[in-house]
Amino acid sequence: MTAQQNTSLASFTGDAQPYGGGDPYADYRTADLPFTQYANLADRQLGAGVVAANDEFFAQRENLLVPEPAEFDPEHFGHKGKVMDGWETRRRRGVSAEQPWPTEEDHDWALIRLGAPGVIRGIVVDTAHFRGNYPQAVSVEGASVAGSPSPAELLADDVKWTTLVPRTPVGGHAANGFAVSAEQRFTHLRLKQHPDGGIARLRVYGEVVPDPAWLAALGTFDVVALENGGQVEDASNLFYSPATNTIQPGRSRKMDDGWETRRRRDKGNDWIQYRLVDRSQIRAIEIDTAYLKGNSAGWASVSVKDGGDDEGGVWREVLPRTRMQPDTNHRFVLPEAAVGTHARVDIFPDGGISRLRLFGSLTEDGAAHLAARHQELGG
């Protein structure tokens, strides 16, 4: 097992105060974390799951990946005790009356399948509402295992686990953040809590590293999709919802599952800039305004750039400013393939879109670069 350098950014220890009524988040401890601009690789919408845990007596392991913040109902009790919105194990005990305490080695664990394999930049172990029943410490390990391994296969002796977060004390009712510097591609995590307790949510921020062989087999695919390695680099406005929503899988399910900006009171316009999975040929575009009915973009255009700013890339409009209809999926076939590494959607004057799809394929050099990076990261 190889330890990697780790930095605890939001260092919280000790109990939070017992809940005294009112807003349960009023005394929640958190901090700004520099890695949260990356995608959450443990997002259920990407296909993540908690595949196993050694104990979930008080609260189910699946709660770890619920996208919404943990909720707290002080009056909610069940047959096993207080119902918590998180993963909570029973209290560990020692071996005898003379030794009633758990040992230093005692811990509980959960196995997490990432929704999209990738390089992890930061992890948040959130103990919201676990005020006196959180773990004393946590640790996180990562592994890269091909296919769809079973829990037994993940726990086999031949699986190499890399330490991403060494055993570190955490605090109750807090967002405990950890920067990760391991330049490797991971598919699964093993979360440990020492010796027992409860964790509300787990967030795993990083960059998707897709399988080149899978993309090659697909041929034509969405070259900006998050699950294929696309990224949002910047956006003009994030007032109501994150721009990353526009490259999530599937159609939007409700209004806040897309990207919506605040109302403009000037003559400007809003935009999102993306980095494609790698250098690609784009042949068709979809702009969806699903569930945006009185607040969809009035018009939209799409531009492509071949190379970053430091490479002298120049924006070239491939879809001119086009009228958008509310709650509608708009499809456009380009007259000729647009080659580039970056894309930008401009909306006029404001409002929102729910999804952007750029259908095409990797160029020969783009495919070679992606394959080399995949191999370099241990894929």
Side-chain angles (χ1 to χ4, degrees):
M1 186 179 299
T2 304
Q4 297 288 341
Q5 180 184 359
N6 168 266
T7 304
S8 178
L9 299 172
S11 298
F12 304 111
T13 55
D15 296 348
Q17 292 298 313
Y19 176 64
D23 178 8
Y25 275 106
D27 60 341
Y28 176 68
R29 295 177 288 177
T30 187
D32 291 332
L33 300 168
F35 46 74
T36 55
Q37 79 271 18
Y38 293 102
N40 177 19
L41 304 182
D43 191 337
R44 286 282 305 172
Q45 199 168 351
L46 284 175
V50 186
V51 299
N54 72 306
D55 186 294
E56 47 185 332
F57 185 86
F58 285 115
Q60 295 175 328
R61 65 183 191 260
E62 287 86 357
N63 290 333
L64 283 170
L65 305 188
V66 171
E68 294 79 19
E71 298 181 351
F72 180 72
D73 181 352
E75 305 298 327
H76 194 187
F77 286 81
H79 293 293
K80 292 184 178 180
K82 180 72 185 72
V83 175
M84 296 294 290
D85 186 7
W87 168 51
E88 185 180 6
T89 65
R90 73 193 78 198
R91 299 189 188 212
R92 283 183 171 270
R93 297 292 184 246
V95 295
S96 67
E98 290 72 30
Q99 295 293 329
W101 308 280
T103 69
E104 280 295 307
E105 291 73 32
D106 283 342
H107 66 272
D108 292 317
W109 54 263
L111 296 175
I112 294 94
R113 178 189 65 246
L114 297 180
V119 177
I120 297 169
R121 301 303 182 191
I123 294 173
V124 176
V125 178
D126 189 347
T127 57
H129 315 303
F130 288 93
R131 296 169 177 269
N133 51 347
Y134 59 93
Q136 181 183 27
V138 300
S139 60
V140 183
E141 300 161 294
S144 183
V145 183
S148 304
S150 67
E153 290 170 325
L154 289 171
L155 295 172
D157 292 339
D158 60 345
V159 174
K160 177 187 176 183
W161 290 93
T162 298
T163 300
L164 306 179
V165 178
R167 181 170 175 167
T168 306
V170 294
H173 197 43
N176 300 275
F178 305 91
V180 176
S181 60
E183 286 293 325
Q184 297 179 47
R185 178 182 184 266
F186 294 104
T187 61
H188 294 77
L189 298 184
R190 181 162 59 187
L191 170 65
K192 295 180 180 178
Q193 48 179 340
H194 309 265
D196 54 37
I199 296 168
R201 298 289 189 265
L202 177 72
R203 305 294 187 233
V204 183
Y205 297 99
E207 300 174 68
V208 176
V209 180
D211 181 354
W214 175 253
L215 297 183
L218 292 178
T220 295
F221 60 93
D222 183 359
V223 299
V224 76
L226 182 61
E227 61 188 320
N228 293 333
Q231 292 185 34
V232 169
E233 288 193 327
D234 200 3
S236 61
N237 188 277
L238 303 172
F239 189 84
Y240 285 114
S241 46
T244 304
N245 282 351
T246 61
I247 54 174
Q248 287 276 11
R251 292 201 76 202
S252 175
R253 297 166 297 175
K254 52 183 179 174
M255 190 173 74
D256 66 351
D257 192 19
W259 172 61
E260 182 189 0
T261 70
R262 65 188 304 162
R263 299 187 188 211
R264 277 189 171 268
R265 301 302 188 221
D266 58 20
K267 299 298 183 183
N269 74 283
D270 289 315
W271 50 267
I272 306 175
Q273 180 176 318
Y274 305 88
R275 190 177 76 191
L276 308 182
V277 55
D278 216 297
R279 192 164 187 256
S280 304
Q281 301 179 75
I282 301 167
R283 291 184 285 275
I285 295 173
E286 279 189 6
I287 302 176
D288 196 352
T289 58
Y291 292 97
L292 296 164
K293 298 181 179 181
N295 52 351
S296 67
W299 291 262
S301 66
V302 176
S303 301
V304 171
K305 182 171 65 171
D306 194 12
D309 294 336
D310 56 346
E311 300 170 292
V314 177
W315 290 110
R316 180 169 64 91
E317 189 175 73
V318 296
L319 178 70
R321 193 179 305 189
T322 303
R323 189 74 169 96
M324 295 286 106
Q325 300 299 323
D327 196 27
T328 300
N329 192 20
H330 309 76
R331 290 179 170 176
F332 310 94
V333 176
L334 300 183
E336 60 180 30
V339 176
T341 57
H342 296 73
R344 171 179 165 132
V345 60
D346 284 83
I347 63 171
F348 302 88
D350 57 19
I353 61 173
S354 60
R355 295 290 188 270
L356 174 72
R357 305 296 188 211
L358 302 177
F359 294 105
S361 56
L362 293 170
T363 61
E364 187 175 340
D365 57 338
H369 181 262
L370 185 66
R373 182 165 186 259
H374 184 264
Q375 184 175 16
E376 178 184 341
L377 294 171

